Amino acid sequence: MSKPPPFIVARDQRPGSGDIRILSRRYAKGELVRVRRGVYLAKQYWLSLTPWERYARTTEAVALELPTAAFCYETAAHVWGLKLLGVPSHVHLAVKSPSHAGAGKATTTAAMQARSGNTGLEDVRGYGIFRHCYAGSPVHHRGLNVTPLLQTAVDVMARSSFAKAVILADHLVNPLHFKGISTVKADLHGAAKGLHSSSRQQQVARVIDFADAQSGSPGESLSRAQMHLLGFPGPELQLGFQDSDGFVGRADFFWRELRIIGEFDGGAKYLQDENLHGLSAREVVLAEKKREDRLRALGFTVVRWDWPIAKDPAKLTRKLVEAGLPLGQAKNKKLRLL
């Protein structure tokens, strides 16, 4: 993977050399985008990025514009590497004074081009700054000032729906993800006690108690949280199966008494090179089909779903009921949208 290009920072241009004028001309010609005030990148590079990549680079640009900035909430979570569902709408900053708090509009801009009549950013989402009055001391991580890991986690969980919070919590309690930092449930419960609202403390405590380090991916965490809210019986996670030919594989979800196996298909294993292990996407799909056939031959029902179904309670309910899972009483009759 190639190293991303550095920002062009106006204050670093040599005084009297004409560099500032060159920078202005390149912006006016449509070659550059102004990510934040005085912080630029090539427009074609900017347009080639994914939304998450643009969010990360906007965060870096904010840090260049405001060197003492401290990041909190979802922005700090992303810097720490915590799993989030969906790109945040703002870059979140912690400030001391309530008079400085509030949300601002996206400031990434490009010059209007006379020939086309547009900037080229019309269909590209930008990210503004949201300043929060926040008491706490930041730490330095990956070159940025951020709220501490456990505090960041409980802050985000307190602001999230149950399903979104479970995605983050499952990832956090897995000891393989944050070496050198204790993220056991007792530590998280301790951090949650620092939340000002008792209802928020209880909300986060329910998520922490539900979290499971065995969850294999954000899609699996989302699916399990939705199942819980909908009233389906809880599955066992990541159980391995064998037949007469040997090891078949591990199942994302298993309902032992019902002999039902559930599999979440995120799509990444068919698209990302590191998940293909030298095989083509077609070969991986065929291998999955053979694996599923072997599981069915053992007498199991296998049900599969993907992101659109996991995100939609009605579709997930229909899929699981058709597979034979009994539907109990929903834990939350007003399921919050993701």
Side-chain angles (χ1 to χ4, degrees):
M1 177 184 257
S2 59
K3 189 176 181 180
F7 288 98
I8 303 169
V9 183
R11 66 170 177 264
D12 293 340
Q13 305 303 302
R14 291 174 297 167
S17 66
D19 287 352
I20 293 295
R21 290 193 297 275
I22 293 172
L23 187 61
S24 297
R25 284 199 294 270
R26 290 189 64 194
Y27 177 79
K29 289 169 61 179
E31 295 177 6
L32 301 176
V33 295
R34 183 186 295 119
V35 184
R36 293 290 302 173
R37 185 174 59 184
V39 184
Y40 299 81
L41 279 171
K43 183 194 284 187
Q44 288 306 311
Y45 165 74
W46 187 252
L47 295 176
S48 73
L49 298 177
T50 66
W52 267 119
E53 289 168 338
R54 278 193 289 272
Y55 185 80
R57 300 239 64 184
T58 302
T59 301
E60 295 172 33
V62 171
L64 284 171
E65 180 194 8
L66 307 169
T68 62
F71 299 96
C72 59
Y73 296 118
E74 286 81 1
T75 307
H78 183 54
V79 174
W80 279 111
L82 288 165
K83 296 298 184 184
L84 300 172
L85 184 63
V87 184
S89 59
H90 290 79
V91 173
H92 297 276
L93 294 183
V95 296
K96 299 296 185 183
S97 172
S99 63
H100 294 155
K105 295 181 180 179
T107 57
T108 300
T109 62
M112 183 76 71
Q113 299 302 293
R115 181 174 297 180
S116 63
N118 59 46
T119 66
L121 302 185
E122 284 76 11
D123 298 324
V124 177
R125 183 182 181 187
Y127 307 99
I129 287 180
F130 201 133
R131 291 177 169 86
H132 304 265
C133 184
Y134 191 101
S137 299
V139 298
H140 206 60
H141 181 66
R142 292 175 58 188
L144 300 172
N145 298 316
V146 294
T147 48
L149 175 61
L150 297 187
Q151 189 59 53
T152 298
V154 299
D155 286 344
V156 174
M157 286 190 278
R159 291 157 51 92
S160 303
S161 68
F162 180 80
K164 282 187 174 182
V166 167
I167 292 172
L168 184 151
D170 280 355
H171 182 250
L172 183 61
V173 299
N174 188 321
L176 299 178
H177 292 153
F178 295 94
K179 301 291 180 64
I181 303 176
S182 178
T183 58
V184 297
K185 291 187 177 185
D187 296 328
L188 281 170
H189 277 298
K193 291 178 181 177
L195 295 168
H196 297 302
S197 163
S198 60
S199 63
R200 290 287 179 89
Q201 291 178 19
Q202 293 169 8
Q203 171 188 330
V204 171
R206 285 193 292 271
V207 173
I208 296 169
D209 289 338
F210 186 77
D212 194 323
Q214 291 295 313
S215 182
S217 71
E220 293 172 34
S221 296
L222 171 61
S223 300
R224 197 174 98 263
Q226 298 279 54
M227 293 173 200
H228 175 73
L229 293 173
L230 291 165
F232 285 104
E236 298 175 63
L237 306 182
Q238 304 300 326
L239 253 68
F241 293 89
Q242 292 193 357
D243 61 13
S244 58
D245 292 326
F247 183 68
V248 179
R250 294 190 178 277
D252 297 337
F253 307 99
F254 182 50
W255 291 270
R256 189 180 298 269
E257 293 183 1
L258 299 167
R259 297 185 66 78
I260 296 174
I261 288 173
E263 295 280 74
F264 173 80
D265 286 331
K269 63 186 174 184
Y270 306 123
L271 301 174
Q272 296 178 359
D273 290 342
E274 61 268 28
N275 295 322
L276 297 178
H277 304 294
L279 303 175
S280 68
R282 181 175 181 276
E283 287 171 328
V284 172
V285 170
L286 289 174
E288 282 290 309
K289 183 180 183 307
K290 290 179 181 178
R291 173 179 172 274
E292 185 171 321
D293 288 343
R294 290 171 69 185
L295 291 171
R296 293 185 192 280
L298 290 170
F300 299 115
T301 297
V302 180
V303 55
R304 311 183 78 95
W305 62 90
D306 55 12
W307 275 108
I309 292 176
K311 290 179 178 180
D312 189 318
K315 290 180 180 178
L316 184 61
T317 296
R318 187 161 54 250
K319 174 71 71 171
L320 296 178
V321 168
E322 288 174 354
L325 273 180
L327 181 61
Q329 185 174 2
K331 304 295 189 298
N332 182 356
K333 293 182 180 178
K334 295 181 179 180
L335 295 176
R336 287 180 59 182
L337 296 175
L338 295 172

